[in-house]
Amino acid sequence: MEDETKSADFDLAVLDVNIAGQLITPVAELIAARRRPIIFATGYGVSGLPEAFRDRPALRKPFMIEGLKAAIELAVQP
């Protein structure tokens, strides 16, 4: 996954905070180093985000398309 994160072409990442018991923090750190916007999806709200990323938009699961749209607009603001 690390190689793909370093070389994939994308404008924005939507990351689930916890995938099968593994925190997504290492992937988020690589994406942040590339200066790409990140939106986190979590069932725990902002308190479920890795501490270093609590300033990033978060969607509480399950979320609606309107919430995703608002999070994208927030994430891509200069």
Side-chain angles (χ1 to χ4, degrees):
M1 178 77 145
E2 186 175 317
D3 289 339
E4 292 88 358
T5 305
K6 289 181 179 179
S7 63
D9 186 27
F10 60 92
D11 296 317
L12 172 106
V14 179
L15 304 176
D16 194 319
V17 172
N18 185 324
I19 305 288
Q22 297 293 314
L23 293 180
I24 200 69
T25 307
V27 174
E29 290 169 345
L30 291 170
I31 292 170
R34 291 184 62 187
R35 305 178 73 77
R36 299 291 195 277
I38 302 170
I39 299 170
F40 290 95
T42 177
Y44 304 101
V46 175
S47 65
L49 297 182
E51 192 168 330
F53 293 99
R54 290 194 178 157
D55 62 334
R56 306 293 174 110
L59 293 167
R60 187 171 185 118
K61 297 185 299 184
F63 55 86
M64 304 293 285
I65 195 73
E66 295 83 11
L68 177 59
K69 180 180 183 282
I72 290 171
E73 289 171 352
L74 184 62
V76 299
Q77 286 181 356

Coordinates of all heavy atoms in Angstrom, one line a residue:
M1 N 0.8 -1.2 0.0 CA 0.0 0.0 0.0 C 0.9 1.3 0.0 O 0.5 2.2 -0.6 CB -0.9 0.0 1.2 CG -1.8 1.2 1.3 SD -3.1 1.1 0.2 CE -4.4 1.8 1.1
E2 N 2.0 1.2 0.7 CA 2.9 2.4 0.8 C 3.3 2.8 -0.6 O 3.3 4.0 -0.9 CB 4.0 2.1 1.7 CG 4.9 3.3 1.9 CD 6.0 3.0 2.9 OE1 5.8 2.3 3.9 OE2 7.1 3.4 2.7
D3 N 3.7 1.9 -1.5 CA 4.2 2.3 -2.8 C 3.1 3.0 -3.6 O 3.3 4.0 -4.3 CB 4.7 1.1 -3.6 CG 6.0 0.6 -3.0 OD1 6.7 1.3 -2.4 OD2 6.3 -0.6 -3.3
E4 N 1.9 2.4 -3.5 CA 0.7 3.0 -4.2 C 0.4 4.4 -3.7 O 0.1 5.3 -4.5 CB -0.5 2.1 -4.1 CG -0.4 0.8 -4.9 CD 0.2 -0.3 -4.0 OE1 0.6 0.0 -2.9 OE2 0.3 -1.4 -4.5
T5 N 0.5 4.6 -2.4 CA 0.3 5.9 -1.8 C 1.3 6.9 -2.3 O 0.9 8.1 -2.5 CB 0.3 5.8 -0.3 OG1 -0.6 4.8 0.1 CG2 -0.1 7.1 0.4
K6 N 2.5 6.5 -2.5 CA 3.5 7.4 -2.9 C 3.5 7.8 -4.3 O 3.9 8.9 -4.8 CB 4.9 6.9 -2.6 CG 5.2 6.8 -1.1 CD 6.6 6.2 -0.9 CE 7.0 6.2 0.6 NZ 8.3 5.6 0.8
S7 N 2.9 6.9 -5.2 CA 3.0 7.1 -6.6 C 1.6 7.3 -7.3 O 1.5 7.8 -8.4 CB 3.7 6.0 -7.3 OG 3.0 4.8 -7.1
A8 N 0.5 7.0 -6.7 CA -0.8 7.0 -7.3 C -1.2 8.5 -7.6 O -0.8 9.4 -6.8 CB -1.9 6.4 -6.4
D9 N -1.9 8.7 -8.7 CA -2.3 10.0 -9.0 C -3.8 10.2 -8.5 O -4.7 9.5 -9.0 CB -2.3 10.2 -10.6 CG -2.6 11.6 -11.0 OD1 -2.4 12.5 -10.2 OD2 -3.1 11.7 -12.1
F10 N -3.9 11.1 -7.6 CA -5.3 11.4 -7.0 C -5.3 12.8 -6.5 O -4.2 13.4 -6.2 CB -5.6 10.4 -5.9 CG -4.7 10.4 -4.7 CD1 -4.9 11.2 -3.6 CD2 -3.6 9.6 -4.7 CE1 -4.0 11.2 -2.6 CE2 -2.7 9.6 -3.7 CZ -2.9 10.4 -2.6
D11 N -6.5 13.4 -6.4 CA -6.6 14.8 -5.9 C -7.1 14.8 -4.5 O -6.8 15.8 -3.8 CB -7.7 15.5 -6.8 CG -7.2 15.6 -8.2 OD1 -6.1 15.9 -8.4 OD2 -8.1 15.4 -9.1
L12 N -7.7 13.8 -3.9 CA -8.3 13.8 -2.6 C -8.4 12.4 -2.1 O -8.6 11.5 -2.9 CB -9.7 14.4 -2.7 CG -10.5 14.4 -1.5 CD1 -10.6 15.7 -0.8 CD2 -11.9 13.9 -1.8
A13 N -8.2 12.2 -0.8 CA -8.4 10.8 -0.3 C -9.5 10.8 0.8 O -9.6 11.7 1.6 CB -7.1 10.4 0.4
V14 N -10.3 9.8 0.7 CA -11.3 9.5 1.8 C -10.9 8.2 2.4 O -10.8 7.2 1.8 CB -12.7 9.4 1.2 CG1 -13.7 9.1 2.3 CG2 -13.2 10.7 0.4
L15 N -10.5 8.3 3.7 CA -9.9 7.2 4.4 C -10.8 6.8 5.6 O -11.2 7.6 6.4 CB -8.5 7.5 4.9 CG -7.5 8.0 4.0 CD1 -6.2 8.4 4.7 CD2 -7.2 7.0 2.9
D16 N -11.1 5.5 5.6 CA -11.7 4.9 6.8 C -10.6 4.8 7.9 O -9.5 4.4 7.6 CB -12.3 3.5 6.5 CG -13.3 3.1 7.6 OD1 -13.0 3.3 8.8 OD2 -14.3 2.5 7.2
V17 N -10.9 5.3 9.1 CA -9.9 5.4 10.1 C -9.4 4.0 10.6 O -8.2 3.8 10.8 CB -10.5 6.2 11.3 CG1 -9.5 6.1 12.5 CG2 -10.8 7.6 11.0
N18 N -10.3 3.0 10.5 CA -9.9 1.7 11.0 C -10.4 0.7 10.0 O -11.6 0.5 9.8 CB -10.7 1.5 12.4 CG -10.3 0.2 13.1 OD1 -10.0 -0.8 12.4 ND2 -10.2 0.3 14.4
I19 N -9.4 0.0 9.5 CA -9.7 -1.1 8.5 C -9.3 -2.4 9.1 O -8.1 -2.7 9.3 CB -8.9 -0.9 7.2 CG1 -9.1 0.5 6.6 CG2 -9.2 -2.0 6.2 CD1 -10.5 0.7 5.9
A20 N -10.3 -3.2 9.4 CA -10.1 -4.6 10.0 C -9.1 -4.5 11.2 O -8.2 -5.3 11.3 CB -9.6 -5.5 9.0
G21 N -9.3 -3.5 12.1 CA -8.5 -3.4 13.3 C -7.2 -2.7 13.1 O -6.5 -2.5 14.1
Q22 N -6.9 -2.2 11.9 CA -5.6 -1.5 11.6 C -5.9 0.0 11.4 O -6.8 0.3 10.6 CB -5.0 -2.1 10.4 CG -4.5 -3.5 10.5 CD -3.4 -3.7 11.5 OE1 -2.5 -3.0 11.5 NE2 -3.6 -4.7 12.4
L23 N -5.3 0.8 12.2 CA -5.4 2.3 12.0 C -4.8 2.7 10.7 O -3.8 2.2 10.3 CB -4.9 3.0 13.2 CG -5.6 2.8 14.5 CD1 -4.9 3.6 15.6 CD2 -7.0 3.2 14.4
I24 N -5.4 3.7 10.1 CA -5.0 4.2 8.7 C -3.9 5.3 8.9 O -3.5 5.8 7.9 CB -6.2 4.7 8.0 CG1 -6.0 4.7 6.5 CG2 -6.7 6.0 8.5 CD1 -5.8 3.4 5.8
T25 N -3.4 5.5 10.1 CA -2.5 6.6 10.3 C -1.3 6.6 9.4 O -0.9 7.6 8.8 CB -2.1 6.7 11.8 OG1 -3.2 6.7 12.6 CG2 -1.2 7.9 12.1
P26 N -0.6 5.5 9.2 CA 0.6 5.5 8.3 C 0.3 5.9 6.9 O 1.0 6.7 6.2 CB 1.1 4.0 8.3 CG 0.6 3.5 9.6 CD -0.8 4.1 9.8
V27 N -0.9 5.5 6.3 CA -1.3 5.9 5.0 C -1.6 7.4 5.0 O -1.2 8.1 4.1 CB -2.5 5.1 4.5 CG1 -3.0 5.6 3.2 CG2 -2.1 3.6 4.4
A28 N -2.3 7.9 6.0 CA -2.7 9.3 6.1 C -1.4 10.2 6.2 O -1.3 11.2 5.6 CB -3.5 9.5 7.3
E29 N -0.4 9.7 6.9 CA 0.9 10.4 7.0 C 1.5 10.6 5.6 O 2.1 11.6 5.2 CB 1.8 9.8 8.0 CG 1.3 10.0 9.4 CD 2.1 9.1 10.4 OE1 2.8 8.2 10.0 OE2 1.9 9.4 11.6
L30 N 1.5 9.5 4.8 CA 2.1 9.6 3.5 C 1.3 10.5 2.6 O 1.9 11.3 1.8 CB 2.1 8.1 2.8 CG 3.1 7.2 3.5 CD1 2.8 5.8 3.0 CD2 4.5 7.6 3.2
I31 N 0.0 10.5 2.7 CA -0.8 11.3 1.8 C -0.6 12.8 2.3 O -0.5 13.7 1.4 CB -2.3 10.9 1.9 CG1 -2.5 9.6 1.2 CG2 -3.2 12.0 1.3 CD1 -3.8 8.9 1.5
A32 N -0.6 13.0 3.5 CA -0.3 14.4 4.0 C 1.0 14.9 3.6 O 1.1 16.1 3.2 CB -0.4 14.4 5.6
A33 N 2.0 14.1 3.5 CA 3.3 14.5 3.1 C 3.3 14.9 1.6 O 4.1 15.7 1.2 CB 4.4 13.4 3.2
R34 N 2.4 14.3 0.8 CA 2.2 14.7 -0.6 C 1.3 16.0 -0.7 O 1.0 16.4 -1.8 CB 1.6 13.6 -1.3 CG 2.5 12.4 -1.5 CD 1.9 11.3 -2.4 NE 1.6 11.8 -3.7 CZ 1.0 11.1 -4.6 NH1 0.6 9.9 -4.4 NH2 0.8 11.6 -5.8
R35 N 0.8 16.5 0.4 CA 0.0 17.7 0.5 C -1.3 17.5 -0.3 O -1.8 18.4 -0.9 CB 0.8 18.9 0.0 CG 2.1 19.1 0.8 CD 3.0 20.2 0.3 NE 2.4 21.5 0.7 CZ 2.5 22.1 1.9 NH1 3.1 21.5 2.8 NH2 2.0 23.3 2.1
R36 N -1.9 16.4 -0.1 CA -3.2 16.1 -0.7 C -4.3 16.2 0.4 O -4.0 15.8 1.5 CB -3.3 14.7 -1.3 CG -2.3 14.4 -2.4 CD -2.7 15.2 -3.7 NE -2.0 14.7 -4.9 CZ -0.8 15.0 -5.2 NH1 -0.1 15.8 -4.5 NH2 -0.3 14.5 -6.3
P37 N -5.4 16.7 0.0 CA -6.5 16.8 1.0 C -7.0 15.4 1.5 O -7.0 14.4 0.7 CB -7.7 17.5 0.3 CG -7.1 18.0 -0.9 CD -5.8 17.3 -1.2
I38 N -7.3 15.3 2.8 CA -7.8 14.0 3.3 C -9.1 14.2 4.0 O -9.2 15.2 4.8 CB -6.8 13.4 4.3 CG1 -5.4 13.2 3.7 CG2 -7.3 12.1 4.9 CD1 -4.3 12.9 4.7
I39 N -10.0 13.3 3.8 CA -11.3 13.3 4.6 C -11.3 11.9 5.3 O -11.0 10.9 4.7 CB -12.5 13.4 3.7 CG1 -12.5 14.8 2.9 CG2 -13.8 13.2 4.5 CD1 -13.5 14.9 1.8
F40 N -11.6 11.9 6.6 CA -11.7 10.7 7.3 C -13.1 10.2 7.5 O -14.0 11.1 7.8 CB -11.0 10.8 8.7 CG -9.5 11.0 8.6 CD1 -8.9 12.2 8.6 CD2 -8.7 9.9 8.5 CE1 -7.6 12.4 8.5 CE2 -7.3 10.0 8.4 CZ -6.8 11.3 8.4
A41 N -13.4 9.0 7.3 CA -14.7 8.4 7.6 C -14.5 7.5 8.9 O -13.6 6.7 9.0 CB -15.1 7.5 6.5
T42 N -15.4 7.7 9.9 CA -15.3 7.0 11.1 C -16.6 6.9 11.8 O -17.5 7.7 11.6 CB -14.3 7.8 12.1 OG1 -14.3 7.1 13.3 CG2 -14.7 9.2 12.3
G43 N -16.8 5.8 12.5 CA -18.0 5.6 13.3 C -17.9 6.3 14.6 O -18.9 6.3 15.4
Y44 N -16.8 6.9 14.9 CA -16.6 7.5 16.3 C -16.5 9.0 16.3 O -16.3 9.6 17.3 CB -15.2 7.0 16.8 CG -15.2 5.5 16.9 CD1 -14.5 4.7 15.9 CD2 -15.9 4.7 17.9 CE1 -14.5 3.4 15.9 CE2 -15.8 3.4 17.9 CZ -15.1 2.7 16.9 OH -15.1 1.3 16.9
G45 N -16.8 9.7 15.2 CA -16.7 11.1 15.2 C -15.3 11.6 15.2 O -14.3 10.8 15.1
V46 N -15.1 12.9 15.4 CA -13.8 13.5 15.4 C -12.9 12.9 16.5 O -11.7 12.7 16.3 CB -13.9 15.0 15.7 CG1 -12.5 15.7 15.8 CG2 -14.6 15.7 14.5
S47 N -13.4 12.4 17.6 CA -12.6 11.8 18.7 C -12.0 10.5 18.2 O -11.0 10.1 18.8 CB -13.4 11.6 19.9 OG -14.4 10.6 19.7
G48 N -12.5 9.9 17.1 CA -11.9 8.7 16.6 C -10.8 8.9 15.6 O -10.1 8.0 15.2
L49 N -10.5 10.2 15.3 CA -9.4 10.5 14.4 C -8.1 10.4 15.1 O -7.9 10.7 16.2 CB -9.5 11.9 13.8 CG -10.8 12.2 12.9 CD1 -10.7 13.6 12.4 CD2 -10.9 11.2 11.8
P50 N -7.0 10.0 14.3 CA -5.7 10.1 14.9 C -5.4 11.5 15.3 O -5.8 12.5 14.6 CB -4.8 9.7 13.7 CG -5.6 8.9 12.8 CD -7.0 9.5 12.9
E51 N -4.8 11.7 16.5 CA -4.7 13.0 17.0 C -4.1 14.1 16.1 O -4.5 15.2 16.0 CB -3.9 13.0 18.3 CG -3.9 14.3 19.1 CD -3.4 14.1 20.5 OE1 -3.5 13.0 21.1 OE2 -2.8 15.1 21.0
A52 N -3.1 13.7 15.3 CA -2.4 14.6 14.4 C -3.3 15.0 13.3 O -3.0 16.0 12.6 CB -1.1 13.9 13.8
F53 N -4.4 14.4 13.1 CA -5.3 14.7 12.0 C -6.7 15.2 12.4 O -7.6 15.3 11.6 CB -5.5 13.5 11.1 CG -4.2 13.1 10.4 CD1 -3.4 12.1 10.9 CD2 -3.8 13.8 9.3 CE1 -2.2 11.7 10.3 CE2 -2.6 13.4 8.6 CZ -1.8 12.4 9.1
R54 N -6.8 15.6 13.6 CA -8.1 16.1 14.1 C -8.5 17.4 13.5 O -9.7 17.9 13.7 CB -8.1 16.1 15.6 CG -8.1 14.7 16.2 CD -8.4 14.6 17.6 NE -8.4 13.2 18.0 CZ -8.2 12.7 19.2 NH1 -8.1 13.6 20.2 NH2 -8.2 11.4 19.4
D55 N -7.7 18.1 12.8 CA -8.0 19.3 12.1 C -8.6 19.1 10.7 O -9.0 20.0 10.0 CB -6.8 20.3 12.0 CG -5.7 19.7 11.2 OD1 -5.6 18.5 11.1 OD2 -4.9 20.5 10.7
R56 N -8.6 17.8 10.3 CA -9.1 17.4 9.0 C -10.6 17.2 9.0 O -11.2 16.8 10.1 CB -8.4 16.2 8.4 CG -6.9 16.3 8.4 CD -6.4 17.3 7.4 NE -5.0 17.5 7.5 CZ -4.1 17.1 6.6 NH1 -4.5 16.5 5.5 NH2 -2.8 17.3 6.8
P57 N -11.3 17.3 7.9 CA -12.7 17.0 7.8 C -12.9 15.5 8.2 O -12.1 14.6 7.8 CB -13.1 17.3 6.4 CG -12.1 18.2 5.8 CD -10.8 17.8 6.6
A58 N -14.0 15.2 8.9 CA -14.4 13.9 9.2 C -15.9 13.7 8.9 O -16.7 14.5 9.2 CB -14.1 13.6 10.7
L59 N -16.2 12.5 8.4 CA -17.5 12.1 8.2 C -17.9 11.0 9.2 O -17.1 10.0 9.3 CB -17.7 11.5 6.8 CG -17.6 12.5 5.6 CD1 -17.4 11.8 4.3 CD2 -18.7 13.5 5.6
R60 N -19.0 11.1 9.9 CA -19.4 10.1 10.8 C -20.2 9.1 10.0 O -21.2 9.4 9.3 CB -20.2 10.7 11.9 CG -20.5 9.6 12.9 CD -21.2 10.2 14.2 NE -21.3 9.2 15.2 CZ -20.7 9.2 16.3 NH1 -20.0 10.2 16.7 NH2 -20.9 8.2 17.2
K61 N -19.8 7.8 10.1 CA -20.5 6.8 9.3 C -21.8 6.3 10.1 O -21.7 6.3 11.3 CB -19.6 5.5 9.1 CG -18.4 5.8 8.3 CD -17.5 4.6 8.1 CE -17.1 3.9 9.3 NZ -16.2 2.7 9.1
P62 N -22.8 6.0 9.4 CA -23.0 6.1 7.9 C -23.2 7.6 7.6 O -23.8 8.3 8.3 CB -24.2 5.3 7.6 CG -25.0 5.3 8.9 CD -24.0 5.4 10.0
F63 N -22.7 8.0 6.4 CA -22.9 9.4 6.0 C -23.7 9.4 4.7 O -23.8 8.5 4.0 CB -21.6 10.1 5.9 CG -20.6 9.5 4.9 CD1 -20.6 9.7 3.6 CD2 -19.6 8.6 5.4 CE1 -19.7 9.1 2.7 CE2 -18.7 8.0 4.6 CZ -18.8 8.2 3.2
M64 N -24.3 10.6 4.5 CA -25.1 10.9 3.3 C -24.3 11.6 2.3 O -23.3 12.3 2.6 CB -26.4 11.7 3.6 CG -27.2 11.0 4.7 SD -28.0 9.5 4.2 CE -29.3 10.1 3.1
I65 N -24.7 11.6 1.0 CA -23.9 12.3 0.0 C -23.8 13.8 0.2 O -22.7 14.4 -0.1 CB -24.6 12.0 -1.4 CG1 -23.6 12.4 -2.5 CG2 -25.9 12.8 -1.6 CD1 -22.5 11.4 -2.7
E66 N -24.8 14.4 0.9 CA -24.7 15.8 1.2 C -23.5 16.1 2.2 O -22.8 17.1 2.1 CB -26.0 16.4 1.8 CG -27.1 16.3 0.8 CD -27.8 15.0 0.8 OE1 -27.6 14.1 1.6 OE2 -28.6 14.8 -0.2
G67 N -23.3 15.2 3.1 CA -22.2 15.3 4.1 C -20.9 15.1 3.4 O -19.9 15.8 3.7
L68 N -20.8 14.2 2.4 CA -19.6 14.0 1.7 C -19.3 15.2 0.8 O -18.1 15.7 0.8 CB -19.7 12.8 0.8 CG -18.5 12.5 -0.1 CD1 -17.2 12.3 0.7 CD2 -18.8 11.3 -1.0
K69 N -20.3 15.8 0.2 CA -20.1 17.0 -0.6 C -19.5 18.1 0.3 O -18.5 18.8 -0.1 CB -21.4 17.4 -1.2 CG -21.3 18.7 -2.1 CD -22.6 19.0 -2.7 CE -22.6 20.3 -3.6 NZ -22.5 21.5 -2.9
A70 N -20.1 18.3 1.4 CA -19.6 19.4 2.3 C -18.2 19.1 2.8 O -17.4 20.1 2.9 CB -20.6 19.5 3.6
A71 N -17.9 17.9 3.1 CA -16.5 17.6 3.5 C -15.5 17.8 2.4 O -14.4 18.3 2.7 CB -16.5 16.1 4.0
I72 N -15.9 17.4 1.2 CA -15.0 17.7 0.0 C -14.7 19.2 -0.1 O -13.6 19.6 -0.3 CB -15.5 17.1 -1.3 CG1 -15.5 15.5 -1.2 CG2 -14.8 17.6 -2.5 CD1 -16.2 14.8 -2.3
E73 N -15.8 20.0 -0.1 CA -15.6 21.4 -0.2 C -14.7 22.0 0.9 O -13.9 22.8 0.6 CB -17.0 22.1 -0.2 CG -17.8 21.8 -1.4 CD -19.2 22.3 -1.3 OE1 -19.7 22.7 -0.2 OE2 -19.9 22.2 -2.4
L74 N -14.9 21.5 2.1 CA -14.0 21.9 3.2 C -12.6 21.5 3.0 O -11.6 22.2 3.2 CB -14.5 21.4 4.5 CG -13.8 21.8 5.8 CD1 -13.9 23.3 6.0 CD2 -14.5 21.1 7.0
A75 N -12.4 20.2 2.6 CA -11.0 19.7 2.4 C -10.2 20.4 1.3 O -9.0 20.5 1.4 CB -11.1 18.2 2.1
V76 N -10.9 20.8 0.3 CA -10.1 21.4 -0.8 C -10.0 22.9 -0.8 O -9.4 23.6 -1.7 CB -10.7 21.0 -2.2 CG1 -10.6 19.5 -2.4 CG2 -12.1 21.5 -2.4
Q77 N -10.5 23.5 0.3 CA -10.3 25.0 0.5 C -8.8 25.3 0.6 O -8.1 24.6 1.2 CB -11.0 25.5 1.7 CG -12.5 25.5 1.7 CD -13.1 26.1 2.9 OE1 -12.4 26.3 3.9 NE2 -14.4 26.3 3.0
P78 N -8.4 26.4 -0.1 CA -7.0 26.7 0.0 C -6.6 27.2 1.4 O -7.3 27.5 2.2 CB -6.8 27.9 -1.0 CG -8.2 28.2 -1.5 CD -9.1 27.2 -0.9

